[in-house]
Amino acid sequence: MTANEDAAQEFEPKKKPPTEDEKRKKKITPGSLMKALIRPGGGDAGPSDGDQIIYHCTIRTLDGVLVESSRSDYGGKGTPIRHVLGKSKMLLGLLEGIPTMLKGEVAMFKMKHQLHYGEDDCPITAPDGFPKEDELHFEIELIDFFKAKVVTDDLGVVKKVVREGKGWESPREPYEVKAWISAKTVTGKLIMSHTEGEPYLFTFGKSELPKGLEMAIGTMVREEKAVIYVTTQYLTESPLMPVIEEYDEVHFEVELVHFIQVRDMLGDGRLIKRRIRDGKGDFPMDCPLHDSLLRVHYKGTVLNEEKKVFYDTRVDNDGQPLEFCSGEGLVPEGFEMSVRLMLPGEIALVTCPPDYAYDKFPRPSNVPEGAHIQWEIELLSFETPKDWTGLDFKTIMNEAESIRNTGNKLFKQGKYELAKAKYEKLLREFNHINPQDDEEGKVFTDTRNLLHLNVAACYLKLGECKKCIETCNKVLDANPAHVKGLYRRGMAYMTAGDFEEARADFKMMMKVDKSTESDATAALQKLKQKEQEVEKKARKQFKGLFDKKPGEIAEAKGDDDEDQITSESQQKDEAHGDSDETKFEDSHEVPPETPRTRWFSLLWPSGRRLFESLGLNRCAIL
């Protein structure tokens, strides 16, 4: 085989394995399926896979004896049959024959028994008494066919798009939806209609529509118009219409007028963001998901009997918007979570519980403790993080240092999760930086190691010792003699109670760098104290346990002794200082700056005063 043939074979697309229907069609032999045209149809093409087909079917023996029919004239229910080609289980003869028909066509198919219910492994069970071993005539009228959206796997809910809508977002729980809705039987009889006056308003997910109808509307977009076919098992009772048991199927004509995005931010119904004016752009791609400089107007209201407005930027801030950097804990958590999911120009109404408002944030003097809050927020604009593409190495490292300093400030303020997020975002960005020489490589490696150790320090403060150790290992695996890595890992081992591992790290510090002897000695002293406390606690707990006679129960010392030991340890730490606060913590040092206020009422009123009080000319963003 030549090289060109090898290449052609290598890049030849792989054929998809045959479907079950394609395998079944191979059973068809010449003469087993015959078609006679009774009435021609219209159009240029017949149905194909993915199309919903709607047809009547009447089955007779070759002598003309009626076997069964979907038509009411021949004893049937009068309900046309619905199938989706490629999805529905169908008789083999119909699966092969109906795609040859045009819309409105009537045809007679003569089938051998192996093409209807007599087929080996037929996917459809024959009705009682059906002559499945006989050759039969199937008279088919193809009423309609169209591309269908299958909403439920059992084909109990299928949607036909009449008019395409706008955008891509579809309603979901607990969105508020407005729609024109009417319902008809399969014969066209009107059951109910909401097509005049005001559109029908409902809350998605509250069972205010039949189950199948709501499921299908959940696949629609704004201004889309559709016909939705719903079978009886999905016609649940609702305020829109009662359950009508005599109908096997209902056809709903729906035009989705509008929906209001309502987001349950926490999933428990406590923090709710309700969009009251649409913004510009596509959700969520055009939202300030990443840390950004945000400009907003807002009005805050206490949700009590008085519903008092406690702050309004348009009134109390000389009409100036609030400017703040997301990701730095400068506004209540519930406020920031909501703004991150807004589009420019959007206005949203946010109801917030105390623990995401001011229980964990400096509270304005006119907001009572434990108050539920409502904010009306307008996102005016935001500035996205600076793109590092095309920047030289020095500029990139300066940007990284600025962001790291922001993380250090958050660390010093005790905002360890926020600080960790800053460091981790930088580490992800570092995956795309390629130093060009040894000098740049050293600067890059040192900075990356420093960021890993900063992340480890955050984990240690958060009590996640295992993750702290894993993060330190990212530095120590490449450089086992990294003293700051050894120190940080040793502290994590000590906190976790792995004293031998901690001792080994502290001793290794002294071995590789004599200048760290004082810090390592202090750490070893603290380690010794921790070991003595654990040993003392164990002796007290099991004191007298083995002095009892057989059958007697020894009483172990309980929480009082443990509390006393903990208190003694805390007093020692306060007297001598935490040995973790050594020169190995200098990775969290921040440049001196003007102290800023801790009170919300002073922090929010002016974006300019906010940044002046922080000593910043711009927002340090990722």
Side-chain angles (χ1 to χ4, degrees):
M1 184 177 290
T2 66
N4 289 337
E5 289 174 337
D6 287 338
Q9 185 174 8
E10 181 180 353
F11 291 103
E12 183 179 351
K14 294 182 179 179
K15 293 182 180 180
K16 293 182 179 179
T19 64
E20 289 300 318
D21 287 345
E22 289 171 341
K23 292 177 182 178
R24 291 176 64 203
K25 287 181 180 181
K26 292 181 179 179
K27 301 177 183 178
I28 300 175
T29 58
S32 60
L33 177 64
M34 307 290 287
K35 175 185 175 183
L37 182 64
I38 299 176
R39 186 184 73 196
D44 299 324
S48 58
D49 276 1
D51 286 352
Q52 175 166 273
I53 53 175
I54 301 175
Y55 63 96
H56 272 301
C57 177
T58 300
I59 306 173
R60 295 182 176 89
T61 66
L62 299 187
D63 296 332
V65 177
L66 181 68
V67 177
E68 66 175 24
S69 177
S70 61
R71 296 181 180 277
S72 57
D73 296 345
Y74 299 116
K77 293 183 178 181
T79 302
I81 300 168
R82 282 196 304 108
H83 283 136
V84 177
L85 290 175
K87 298 286 186 180
S88 300
K89 294 179 180 179
M90 297 177 62
L91 296 178
L92 180 54
L94 297 182
L95 185 65
E96 177 73 8
I98 289 181
T100 69
M101 300 179 68
L102 300 176
K103 183 177 179 180
E105 179 180 324
V106 179
M108 181 74 76
F109 292 96
K110 183 181 179 182
M111 296 185 199
K112 297 288 187 182
H113 72 279
Q114 60 265 33
L115 266 66
H116 54 76
Y117 292 104
E119 176 193 2
D120 292 338
D121 301 320
C122 181
I124 306 173
T125 303
D128 292 340
F130 192 92
K132 64 180 184 178
E133 301 299 326
D134 294 351
E135 187 173 3
L136 299 172
H137 282 153
F138 285 73
E139 181 183 305
I140 304 297
E141 179 186 4
L142 183 57
I143 300 171
D144 196 8
F145 64 88
F146 46 83
K147 289 297 177 187
K149 167 67 178 177
V150 176
V151 180
T152 60
D153 291 338
D154 62 1
L155 308 180
V157 183
V158 175
K159 182 183 78 171
K160 172 187 177 182
V161 176
V162 177
R163 184 183 70 208
E164 298 288 345
K166 297 180 180 179
W168 66 271
E169 188 180 8
S170 298
R172 62 179 184 175
E173 186 177 353
Y175 285 21
E176 296 171 2
V177 184
K178 290 183 178 181
W180 300 114
I181 304 174
S182 63
K184 296 179 181 179
T185 66
V186 293
T187 59
K189 177 184 176 182
L190 186 67
I191 301 173
M192 56 75 57
S193 177
H194 278 279
T195 56
E196 295 181 356
E198 290 293 324
Y200 186 73
L201 174 64
F202 66 95
T203 301
F204 202 91
K206 297 295 184 181
S207 301
E208 296 174 9
L209 299 179
K211 179 181 178 181
L213 176 59
E214 185 174 72
M215 292 171 69
I217 289 178
T219 69
M220 298 178 69
V221 297
R222 285 183 176 88
E223 300 184 25
E224 180 181 332
K225 191 172 183 178
V227 177
I228 298 167
Y229 301 82
V230 182
T231 53
T232 183
Q233 68 266 36
Y234 293 99
L235 291 172
T236 55
E237 187 173 0
S238 69
L240 178 68
M241 57 181 288
V243 175
I244 305 174
E245 296 181 356
E246 63 265 29
Y247 301 133
D248 293 332
E249 183 174 294
V250 172
H251 298 173
F252 293 94
E253 294 181 5
V254 179
E255 180 179 355
L256 186 55
V257 178
H258 184 66
F259 57 80
I260 297 171
Q261 186 191 73
V262 182
R263 303 192 70 85
D264 185 348
M265 305 294 293
L266 302 174
D268 57 10
R270 297 189 305 130
L271 177 58
I272 301 294
K273 171 186 172 287
R274 183 177 184 271
R275 181 190 289 172
I276 57 178
R277 187 182 78 187
D278 290 341
K280 297 178 181 179
D282 293 324
F283 178 87
M285 290 78 74
D286 295 319
C287 296
L289 299 174
H290 302 288
D291 292 348
S292 307
L293 173 61
L294 301 156
R295 300 181 184 89
V296 303
H297 272 303
Y298 81 96
K299 179 169 66 175
T301 304
V302 177
L303 288 180
N304 54 17
E305 293 181 0
E306 294 82 13
K307 293 188 176 180
K308 181 180 178 180
V309 175
F310 61 86
Y311 196 84
D312 187 341
T313 53
R314 289 184 170 86
V315 176
D316 302 310
N317 197 36
D318 299 325
Q320 296 298 310
L322 167 70
E323 293 186 355
F324 69 98
C325 295
S326 57
E328 297 184 14
L330 300 177
V331 296
E333 187 175 359
F335 190 100
E336 181 167 322
M337 288 173 64
S338 301
V339 175
R340 282 180 181 266
L341 292 179
M342 294 178 67
L343 292 168
E346 178 182 336
I347 298 178
L349 203 62
V350 178
T351 56
C352 185
D355 53 328
Y356 281 80
Y358 302 117
D359 277 7
K360 300 177 182 178
F361 193 85
R363 190 173 65 256
S365 58
N366 53 351
V367 174
E369 185 177 356
H372 286 72
I373 300 299
Q374 178 177 278
W375 291 299
E376 182 180 306
I377 307 170
E378 179 182 2
L379 177 59
L380 302 175
S381 63
F382 66 91
E383 294 179 12
T384 55
K386 181 182 290 186
D387 187 358
W388 288 359
T389 304
L391 298 181
D392 61 80
F393 182 79
K394 183 177 179 181
T395 304
I396 289 175
M397 298 312 293
N398 287 339
E399 288 291 324
E401 182 65 14
S402 176
I403 298 169
R404 192 179 70 83
N405 284 335
T406 301
N408 293 349
K409 284 184 287 189
L410 293 169
F411 185 91
K412 292 295 184 181
Q413 295 165 13
K415 299 174 181 177
Y416 305 120
E417 286 286 2
L418 293 175
K420 182 168 70 70
K422 293 287 186 187
Y423 303 139
E424 289 177 333
K425 180 65 173 6
L426 269 179
L427 285 167
R428 288 193 296 272
E429 293 293 336
F430 270 32
N431 291 330
H432 308 291
I433 299 175
N434 298 305
Q436 300 301 309
D437 53 44
D438 291 343
E439 183 180 351
E440 289 185 356
K442 184 179 186 307
V443 172
F444 176 77
T445 301
D446 289 345
T447 305
R448 185 175 59 186
N449 286 342
L450 194 57
L451 288 168
H452 279 307
L453 294 178
N454 285 357
V455 171
C458 293
Y459 277 132
L460 190 58
K461 291 292 187 180
L462 293 168
E464 299 187 55
C465 298
K466 183 179 179 182
K467 290 183 178 179
C468 176
I469 294 166
E470 291 172 352
T471 307
C472 291
N473 287 339
K474 294 178 181 179
V475 176
L476 293 169
D477 287 346
N479 183 4
H482 197 290
V483 290
K484 289 184 180 180
L486 290 167
Y487 177 80
R488 184 82 73 239
R489 189 174 68 177
M491 296 303 294
Y493 276 136
M494 181 170 63
T495 304
D498 298 325
F499 299 136
E500 289 304 319
E501 289 85 350
R503 182 176 289 104
D505 278 349
F506 295 145
K507 287 183 176 180
M508 179 62 73
M509 284 174 59
M510 291 187 288
K511 182 177 179 181
V512 299
D513 188 348
K514 294 296 183 182
S515 66
T516 65
E517 186 171 348
S518 61
D519 295 302
T521 301
L524 288 167
Q525 180 61 33
K526 184 172 182 178
L527 175 64
K528 184 177 180 180
Q529 293 174 358
K530 293 282 187 183
E531 288 180 301
Q532 289 174 345
E533 290 170 5
V534 171
E535 184 181 353
K536 184 176 180 181
K537 179 181 176 181
R539 284 201 304 270
K540 290 199 173 190
Q541 282 184 323
F542 295 102
K543 183 179 180 181
L545 181 63
F546 301 105
D547 297 337
K548 299 295 181 180
K549 297 178 181 179
E552 293 183 332
I553 299 176
E555 182 180 354
K557 298 298 181 181
D559 295 337
D560 292 342
D561 292 327
E562 183 179 350
D563 292 342
Q564 182 178 356
I565 293 170
T566 303
S567 177
E568 290 173 355
S569 175
Q570 290 173 347
Q571 290 172 4
K572 289 178 182 177
D573 285 343
E574 291 171 1
H576 300 94
D578 186 351
S579 63
D580 197 24
E581 298 296 331
T582 69
K583 65 183 180 182
F584 297 103
E585 295 301 313
D586 61 2
S587 61
H588 292 286
E589 290 180 358
V590 296
E593 63 179 12
T594 304
R596 63 178 174 182
T597 177
R598 292 285 295 168
W599 294 103
F600 174 89
S601 57
L602 298 179
L603 177 64
W604 275 36
S606 169
R608 291 191 299 272
R609 292 202 297 272
L610 168 61
F611 289 107
E612 291 169 1
S613 68
L614 290 174
L616 299 175
N617 295 322
R618 63 179 181 82
C619 179
I621 55 179
L622 295 183

